[in-house]
Amino acid sequence: MRDRGWWLVVALCGALMVMAGAFGAHALNGTLSARLMVVYETAVRYQAWHTLAMLGVLAWRASQPLSGQRLTLSLWLAGTGLFSGSLYALALTGVKVLGAITPLGGGLLIGGWLALAATAWRHQSASGNT
């Protein structure tokens, strides 16, 4: 299987996302302030979207491996860890300084999307397709 390690990482990201969502909905409901609950839900939402996006790139890579796809995956994985991880930590601890990490993760997430665009653009240019 191509990219077995990436498939494992993405599957674990998905499992952690579901566990985090369930924990937030059941264990944290009513224990966090409304503001911190929104922070926590944002972390789950961004982790969910980027886990799905990573699955899409892996599926694309299975049929058409291109340079740039691994960079995209790496940026999204690191970005999700920093973005969602810092928001989870902020929501659970209330330590506001953790919010300073969140924009770094967001920058990595954006970088992943730009890497994806560059990969698609380079492939389009190389293949002559429009």
Side-chain angles (χ1 to χ4, degrees), residues 20-72:
F23 181 71
H26 300 290
L28 296 180
N29 193 16
T31 64
L32 293 182
S33 69
R35 186 185 78 72
L36 289 179
M37 197 63 188
V38 168
V39 168
Y40 190 88
E41 290 169 350
T42 298
V44 174
R45 187 172 50 254
Y46 273 73
Q47 185 176 354
W49 282 114
H50 286 88
T51 298
L52 289 172
M54 286 188 281
L55 284 172
V57 169
L58 281 173
W60 177 29
R61 196 169 154 67
S63 66
Q64 196 171 37
L66 301 171
S67 63
Q69 292 166 326
R70 282 190 179 155
L71 175 61
T72 298

Side-chain angles (χ1 to χ4, degrees), residues 73-96:
L73 292 167
S74 297
L75 289 168
W76 282 342
L77 181 62
T80 299
L82 289 175
F83 184 88
S84 292
S86 64
L87 290 180
Y88 288 136
L90 170 63
L92 294 172
T93 66
V95 177
K96 292 181 182 181

Side-chain angles (χ1 to χ4, degrees), residues 68 71-72 75-76 104-118:
L71 175 61
T72 298
L75 289 168
W76 282 342
L104 298 173
L108 291 170
L109 294 174
I110 293 166
W113 287 105
L114 294 174
L116 178 65

